[in-house]
Amino acid sequence: MLRFLTAGESHGPSLSVIVEGLPSGLAVREDELAGELARRRLGYGRGPRMRFEKDELRLIGGVRHGRTLGSPIAIEILNTEWPKWETEMSPHAGAPSTVLTKPRPGHADLAGMQKYGFDDARDVLERASARETAARVAAGCLAKALLARLGTSVLSHVVALGPEQADTGVRPGPADLEQVDASDVRCFNSEAERRMVSAIKAAAKDGDSLGGVVEVLVYGAPVGLGSHVHWDRRLDGLLAQAFMSIQAIKYVEIGEGAAGTARRGSDAHDAISWDAETGTYPRATTRAGGIEGGMSTGGLIVARVGMKPLATLNRPVLGTVDVVTKQETKSFKERTDVTAVPAMGVVAETMAALVIAGEAIRKFGGDSLAEIVRNHDGYLASLSDEPPSSAAAAGGV
Ligand code: EPS
């Protein structure tokens, strides 16, 4: 089982993540971790913090001489913001200089204050902040490293930003990731990229925010990850939960998602063929998003993840209530991004990688990387062999 747990506040001294369940012998490169953290800071429309935040990281457990030991891996990501926040965010007894009592509509502020018994929204917002995703991305980088050894790779690209959509006729492949990351909004279509950047500029001018949609693509996942046998083992269910756990996500689609529900059954599924050369059953289309009956089919896994516009506005216009005076007012202002959709794509990749790697570990077992790779390769080889003898004896159906 692959598990991870993060701790830390947005303006605290650091974020930490502990990853449990990775095999021994996996190469861990600090430059790869730093590279993934830098990818998460990408995107036109991010706030000033992303320009100076460097995500300085320290490997503090589970890795020796560049290889995992099979023990829990602990990573700390320092916040360069800490010196400015040391007093306000101090863990020692005392009182903050400012108390935030006017919760932002759409944010975790008010429900969190009521649930946990706080009168200061900062006690909620610091942990609700998407800063926490930096720690997830570090964990996801390790999951991606394992998947790479199994021939599986995950990527994302922005397909809608605010009102602007990208034509998704041509999907990026693993070799196109650099091109996607080089785009200001991580969009594979340069004409759409220009429209998206203009939309961000217009929203920024109005002190407003924008949401959007990313498509997550998993190439090379073997058939049979997840299972039909229990509700909580279905791969699509696991992915949906993982994507929904990302701050500000409001919808998830697998394959054609909502559009597929409007088709007739005869036009809504993926025809199966047989490729004797590879011993596989390719599907002609990706309508099911590479998942049937809660199991990966061996084809491309496709998911779309939709983010609402950020609730923090540079020009707050929605009404709220001061929780102390109960007077109607406008919310407090926090420094914010105009949009975080391009960065969210990297976080969605992370969550997909953690789920797929977790299911691969479950299926292929093993305490060392060599053992997992051996089990994986043996399983794939067995699939392309002759049909199971029981089916052959019965003449098939
Ligand atoms: C965030 C608000 C901004 C973002 C932050 C998430 O932080 P700050 O108020 O410090 O400028 O920059 O994102 C990150 C720090 C990050 O690393 O992604 C929020 O309210 O969620």
Side-chain angles (χ1 to χ4, degrees):
M1 186 154 88
L2 182 65
R3 295 180 291 173
F4 75 99
L5 209 56
T6 71
E9 275 67 43
S10 181
H11 301 101
S14 64
L15 295 168
S16 309
V17 61
I18 295 184
V19 187
E20 208 307 294
L22 282 171
S24 66
L26 184 66
V28 174
R29 289 182 33 197
E30 282 193 72
D31 60 331
E32 267 177 19
L33 281 162
E36 281 293 288
L37 290 170
R39 290 184 65 227
R40 199 198 60 93
R41 294 195 302 271
L42 290 174
Y44 190 83
R46 297 290 328 252
R49 182 167 176 185
M50 289 303 94
R51 286 192 285 278
F52 57 75
E53 188 67 72
K54 290 288 172 276
D55 293 331
E56 200 181 308
L57 64 97
R58 290 199 327 190
L59 280 167
I60 51 179
V63 181
R64 181 162 184 252
H65 299 307
R67 303 228 164 251
T68 55
L69 299 173
S71 53
I73 297 167
I75 302 174
E76 192 181 24
I77 302 163
L78 306 180
N79 280 336
T80 29
E81 284 279 82
W82 176 238
K84 274 193 273 163
W85 288 85
E86 211 165 339
T87 313
E88 207 60 22
M89 292 298 293
S90 169
H92 307 299
S97 59
T98 317
V99 176
L100 304 175
T101 58
K102 300 168 184 168
R104 292 161 294 177
H107 211 280
D109 300 345
L110 182 56
M113 290 162 88
Q114 291 180 288
K115 178 174 167 67
Y116 287 90
F118 297 134
D119 56 10
D120 182 355
R122 184 161 302 287
D123 288 329
V124 179
L125 73 87
E126 282 287 334
R127 181 63 187 165
S129 160
R131 170 77 192 148
E132 184 259 349
T133 59
R136 298 195 201 192
V137 167
C141 182
L142 303 175
K144 284 182 179 179
L146 173 66
L147 290 177
R149 298 301 304 268
L150 304 178
T152 300
S153 59
V154 186
L155 67 90
S156 68
H157 62 122
V158 172
V159 296
L161 211 150
E164 303 298 344
Q165 315 248 340
D167 171 11
T168 52
V170 184
R171 287 191 169 122
D176 299 315
L177 189 56
E178 244 176 71
Q179 187 187 330
V180 171
D181 284 350
S183 154
D184 274 346
V185 284
R186 303 197 63 256
C187 179
F188 194 49
N189 175 321
S190 51
E191 177 271 324
E193 172 195 303
R194 279 190 290 279
R195 286 187 278 113
M196 289 174 181
V197 169
S198 303
I200 297 170
K201 283 183 180 159
K205 203 159 149 256
D206 296 339
D208 221 322
S209 63
L210 291 178
V213 184
V214 302
E215 187 170 72
V216 180
L217 302 168
V218 184
Y219 287 91
V223 58
L225 299 182
S227 175
H228 63 294
V229 302
H230 281 298
W231 69 270
D232 58 352
R233 290 195 54 195
R234 289 180 175 261
L235 186 63
D236 35 11
L238 295 171
L239 284 170
Q241 203 278 326
F243 292 139
M244 274 293 185
S245 78
I246 302 170
Q247 293 81 344
I249 297 311
K250 280 297 189 192
Y251 86 81
V252 175
E253 286 183 333
I254 306 290
E256 294 211 323
T261 63
R263 292 174 187 263
R264 285 189 167 192
S266 55
D267 198 26
H269 301 289
D270 304 312
I272 302 171
S273 55
W274 169 245
D275 182 344
E277 211 164 289
T278 55
T280 58
Y281 298 93
R283 308 298 197 273
T285 43
T286 55
R287 292 165 175 164
I291 301 175
E292 290 172 350
M295 291 170 282
S296 56
T297 62
L300 177 67
I301 295 179
V302 183
R304 287 179 173 223
V305 183
M307 185 183 212
K308 68 184 179 183
L310 297 174
T312 313
L313 302 179
N314 277 316
R315 202 174 296 158
V317 287
L318 286 172
T320 187
V321 172
D322 187 313
V323 296
V324 175
T325 65
K326 310 294 186 216
Q327 297 295 304
E328 287 187 6
T329 178
K330 296 289 183 277
S331 74
F332 62 84
K333 251 178 73 174
E334 277 279 292
R335 192 173 57 186
T336 186
D337 309 319
V338 178
T339 186
V341 174
M344 182 274 284
V346 177
V347 181
E349 285 174 23
T350 286
M351 296 312 292
L354 284 159
V355 168
I356 303 284
E359 287 308 297
I361 289 170
R362 180 173 195 150
K363 175 138 184 67
F364 303 118
D367 298 300
S368 68
L369 177 65
E371 198 177 359
I372 291 184
V373 170
R374 200 160 61 233
N375 293 344
H376 167 269
D377 293 353
Y379 165 71
L380 288 188
S382 75
L383 286 177
S384 53
D385 285 350
E386 292 299 301
S389 50
S390 57
V397 268

